[in-house]
Every structure is written in structure tokens, then in C-alpha cells.
């Protein structure tokens, strides 16, 4: 890859000074006494080894990936017929259910209205900022697991105060009005005048059932949908690309965490000027491109590849008006394409992208 470096992401020396002096997020993390997974990839969150989680109940592990800064993730398991302790927090959270079935209750005031919704493998929802929430496993014999993206690192950097973050008595009713009936059974609204498609909703029961719209700019046959949940600044998007295809390489700022829903494949990821590294994925995999790293997703399975990406914010993205900076097929490293063709042949998958080298922008 001989593209000129257009931008570099480095820790500013002021940020380093603040870390050396305070480091509130890391200190809090140590007190959680859970496994902390670094790097940028977990093969399968459904089988990831977890540890008992005293603060919340259940068991968990943190995913604190390289260079993310603006977000962290965690994996949590609720035992069969169990529940987690109620919690509220002054940071946002988006949840994807990896396995099992459960329910979540939300409320602002102890004697005020409560909302309970059910979830299952493939559900997506957000915890409204600072809202009390309690998760239950509704199955008597199967554990339930979810992976969540949070803005906890930002909250810790800003406030450095445990009591303020977890025990502030303020209801953000403009984000979540508990007096409105049926909040979680109302259908979402598909808005087509932004980004091609945004689903504005409170709950996605099954990510696999969300309507998608063409997004050819990212590669032939690619379809997607952005999802806005209960007034959160954090958001998600679903992407699907056909059998025998891959998406164009692109890069952006920190905070994106990708959870694979369907098919098998791999992602090539590299820092400008360095050798691409390969990550093989399937359902349950989470990959998080470090800020500014090129990454490219390849479908080698026999079904369309589908993932949901959880995002902290797009405020730090570069590229065009949609935060997109990508390498067109005509400019890509031919060795990467050849590798893809070989991988598809190994799997008996027909390659459909061979004539797309001029790109689809
Ligand atoms: Fe990306």
C-alpha cells in the first residue's frame, strides 16, 4: 500500500499528562476485578471466559481495545433465571444480545412508571442516560449473554467521581419520557432523507429483520441502515454484503466496535504503511479498528455477511460528509484481492467481485 499518510492518530502529550496524573478510568477498571481484554478482536463473545462480577451480579469481562479512548465495551452473562443488580450511570450504553432471552426494566423514580421490554439473540437496545435499569434472564435453564458499548471512559475523564457517575439523582426526561405508554412496543420510524437510511427507535427486537437500503458506495451489493436509540448520541449501523464480495477498505476515528451476526469471513486491518493483519470472524466476533487504521471486511461464507457496528460518535471521523475515507477497488493492493479469491475457492464460494475493480462510488 503506497498511499500517502494523510493523517495520524497519536496520544497528545497533554492527554498523556492527564493520564499520568489522574487516570480515573483505569483506576476504576482495576477495582472492577474483571478480565480486561485488550488488542482489537475477540473471536466469540458467547464463549469468552468471564469472571464473577461483584458490583453488578452475573459475570463479565471488559473489552478495552487499542486506541479507542472514547468508548469501552463489556461482555456480561446473566445466569439462568437470574438478574443483575439495578444500576444507573452518567454515561451512555448500547447493548447487543449475543445469546439467550431476557428482559430489561427501566425507570426514573422508585414510585414512578416502569417500562419492561423483552430481548433475545440479535436484539439491540440502549440504556437511556442515567436511567435506572435492571436486566433479567427469563429462561430457567439457559444463561443469557450480551455485549455492550459504553462511553464510560469519557465520563471518567470528565468527572473522576464514582458517586457522581453512579449516584446522581437526575432524570433526562427529554431522552426517555417514562409517562409515554407503550414506548417499547411502538414500531420505529425509517427516515430516508439522512444517510440513505436511519431507523429511529427504542428497541430492535431482531437486528436480522431490520430493513436495509443500498449502500453501493461501500462495495457492490452492500446494504445498510443506521439506528438511533432513545435519544442516545451513541448509535449503531447494520451492514450486509453479498456472498463472494467484500467491502472497500476505509478508516475513521475511534469508537467503532463491530459485532458479527451472520456468515464467516475475515477482516484485514493495517496502519498506513504497515503490513495488513488478518482477523477471522463468525457470529459472536467483535472487532474494533484502532483510530486511523485501514480495515476491509471480506465475506467467505455461503450467506450474506451481516454485522452491527456500535459507534461512540462520528464527531471525530474524517473523510467526506459521511465520515468516509476509503480505498477504491481500483487502488487496492492486488495481493489482497488474490488472497480473497483463493479463500473463496477453498470454501467453494463463487467470487462475484472480480469485475468490480473500477469501484461503485
Ligand atoms: Fe469502519
Amino acid at each position: 500500500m503506497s498511499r500517502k499518510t494523510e493523517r495520524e492518530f497519536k496520544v497528545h502529550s497533554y492527554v498523556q499528562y492527564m493520564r499520568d496524573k489522574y487516570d480515573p478510568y483505569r483506576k476504576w477498571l482495576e477495582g472492577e476485578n474483571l478480565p480486561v481484554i485488550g488488542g482489537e478482536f475477540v473471536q466469540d463473545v458467547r464463549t469468552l471466559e468471564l469472571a464473577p462480577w461483584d458490583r453488578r451480579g452475573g459475570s463479565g469481562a471488559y473489552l478495552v481495545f487499542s486506541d479507542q479512548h472514547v468508548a469501552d465495551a463489556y461482555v456480561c452473562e446473566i445466569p439462568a433465571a437470574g438478574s443483575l443488580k439495578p444500576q444507573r450511570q452518567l454515561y451512555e450504553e448500547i447493548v447487543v444480545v449475543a445469546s439467550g432471552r431476557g428482559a430489561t426494566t427501566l425507570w426514573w423514580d422508585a414510585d414512578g412508571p416502569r417500562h419492561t421490554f423483552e430481548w433475545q439473540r440479535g436484539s439491540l437496545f440502549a440504556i437511556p442516560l442515567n436511567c435506572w435499569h435492571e436486566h433479567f434472564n427469563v429462561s430457567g435453564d439457559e444463561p443469557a449473554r450480551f455485549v455492550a458499548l459504553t462511553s464510560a471512559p469519557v465520563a471518567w475523564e470528565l468527572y473522576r467521581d464514582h458517586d457522581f457517575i453512579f449516584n446522581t439523582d437526575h432524570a433526562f426526561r427529554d431522552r426517555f419520557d417514562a409517562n409515554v405508554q407503550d414506548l417499547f412496543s411502538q414500531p420505529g420510524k425509517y427516515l430516508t432523507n439522512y444517510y440513505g437510511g436511519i431507523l429511529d427507535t427504542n428497541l430492535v427486537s431482531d437486528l436480522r429483520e431490520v430493513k436495509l437500503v443500498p449502500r453501493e458506495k461501500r462495495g457492490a451489493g452492500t446494504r445498510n441502515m443506521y439506528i438511533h436509540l432513545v435519544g442516545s448520541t451513541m448509535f449503531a449501523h447494520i451492514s450486509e454484503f453479498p456472498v463472494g464480495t467484500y467491502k472497500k477498505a476505509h478508516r475513521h476515528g475511534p469508537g467503532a466496535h463491530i459485532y458479527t451476526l451472520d456468515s464467516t469471513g475475515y477482516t484485514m486491518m493495517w496502519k498506513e504503511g504497515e503490513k495488513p493483519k488478518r482477523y477471522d470472524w463468525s457470529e459472536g466476533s467483535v472487532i474494533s479498528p484502532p483510530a486511523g487504521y485501514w480495515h476491509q471486511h471480506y465475506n467467505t461464507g455461503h450467506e450474506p455477511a451481516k454485522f452491527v457496528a456500535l459507534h461512540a460518535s462520528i464527531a471525530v471521523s474524517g473523510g467526506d460528509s459521511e465520515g468516509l475515507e476509503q480505498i477504491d477497488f481500483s487502488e487496492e493492493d492486488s495481493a489482497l484481492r488474490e488472497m480473497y479469491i483463493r479463500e473463496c475457492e477453498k470454501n467453494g464460494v463463487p467470487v462475484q467481485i472480480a469485475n468490480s475493480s473500477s469501484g461503485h462510488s
Side-chain angles (χ1 to χ4, degrees):
M1 218 40 69
S2 58
R3 286 168 67 94
K4 187 170 159 281
T5 301
E6 292 164 17
R7 191 173 61 218
E8 285 186 339
F9 293 85
K10 283 181 180 166
V11 173
H12 191 281
S13 51
Y14 179 75
V15 174
Q16 192 58 53
Y17 170 72
M18 294 290 283
R19 276 192 200 162
D20 293 344
K21 184 164 182 166
Y22 303 105
D23 216 6
Y25 174 70
R26 288 279 164 187
K27 285 178 188 160
W28 172 69
L29 200 58
E30 278 168 23
E32 291 283 90
N33 281 321
L34 289 184
V36 178
I37 314 296
E40 53 281 314
F41 180 68
V42 169
Q43 180 65 56
D44 192 344
V45 299
R46 297 169 304 171
T47 54
L48 182 69
E49 196 168 319
L50 309 178
W53 198 346
D54 293 343
R55 182 172 64 83
R56 298 203 65 182
S59 53
Y62 279 95
L63 314 182
V64 184
F65 289 148
S66 310
D67 294 338
Q68 294 306 324
H69 311 306
V70 294
D72 67 357
Y74 70 89
V75 179
C76 183
E77 181 170 294
I78 313 172
S83 62
L84 303 183
K85 294 172 191 171
Q87 175 178 313
R88 64 180 168 182
Q89 66 214 19
L90 272 172
Y91 53 81
E92 291 189 349
E93 178 168 344
I94 296 185
V95 177
V96 175
V97 179
S99 60
R101 291 185 304 120
T104 294
T105 300
L106 301 174
W107 69 96
W108 289 120
D109 312 301
D111 51 359
R114 288 174 179 241
H115 289 259
T116 297
F117 56 87
E118 296 200 355
W119 42 258
Q120 60 190 328
R121 167 179 167 260
S123 294
L124 174 81
F125 57 91
I127 306 299
L129 186 66
N130 207 38
C131 192
W132 281 107
H133 54 283
E134 186 170 10
H135 299 300
F136 304 87
N137 185 337
V138 299
S139 165
D141 44 32
E142 294 286 338
R145 267 198 191 206
F146 63 85
V147 56
L149 188 74
T150 89
S151 53
V154 177
W156 279 103
E157 289 302 320
L158 282 175
Y159 307 124
R160 296 181 217 136
D161 188 306
H162 189 281
D163 193 42
F164 183 69
I165 291 173
F166 291 106
N167 197 25
T168 287
D169 202 11
H170 180 76
F172 293 87
R173 295 184 205 278
D174 61 324
R175 294 183 176 223
F176 171 60
D177 183 353
N179 290 313
V180 176
Q181 300 283 313
D182 305 326
L183 266 179
F184 292 91
S185 54
Q186 291 170 4
K189 288 185 196 133
Y190 284 95
L191 310 170
T192 53
N193 50 344
Y194 296 96
Y195 246 18
I198 292 182
L199 169 60
D200 186 334
T201 188
N202 294 321
L203 169 69
V204 177
S205 290
D206 188 350
L207 285 161
R208 292 171 174 85
E209 297 299 317
V210 169
K211 281 187 237 165
L212 304 176
V213 293
R215 182 100 167 137
E216 297 279 321
K217 203 171 182 172
R218 296 287 294 115
T222 293
R223 301 191 304 148
N224 83 340
M225 180 60 66
Y226 284 80
I227 304 171
H228 177 64
L229 293 153
V230 286
S232 299
T233 62
M234 298 179 90
F235 66 104
H237 89 270
I238 301 172
S239 178
E240 183 191 81
F241 48 112
V243 172
T245 69
Y246 57 91
K247 297 180 71 169
K248 293 176 191 174
H250 76 149
R251 64 177 179 175
H252 43 68
H257 289 58
I258 298 161
Y259 178 86
T260 303
L261 295 162
D262 295 328
S263 197
T264 55
Y266 62 91
T267 292
M268 300 302 290
M269 208 148 69
W270 68 96
K271 193 176 178 180
E272 182 73 38
E274 293 184 3
K275 196 169 174 276
K277 193 174 162 193
R278 175 174 163 161
Y279 304 83
D280 286 29
W281 42 255
S282 51
E283 182 178 350
S285 298
V286 174
I287 186 163
S288 181
Y293 274 51
W294 293 106
H295 48 285
Q296 186 156 27
H297 311 300
Y298 297 78
N299 183 8
T300 56
H302 293 268
E303 60 181 324
K306 188 175 273 191
F307 65 71
V308 60
L310 309 178
H311 300 266
S313 166
I314 55 167
V316 287
S317 287
D320 66 12
S321 62
E322 297 177 6
L324 197 57
E325 185 187 2
Q326 60 180 0
I327 299 174
D328 239 324
F329 289 134
S330 58
E331 297 173 34
E332 70 182 0
D333 184 341
S334 59
L336 292 178
R337 170 166 294 220
E338 284 155 19
M339 177 184 180
Y340 178 64
I341 292 167
R342 280 197 309 276
E343 290 300 316
C344 284
E345 275 168 6
K346 255 194 256 173
N347 291 351
V349 168
V351 176
Q352 296 185 44
I353 198 121
N355 297 320
S356 311
S357 60
S358 59
H360 286 256
S361 292

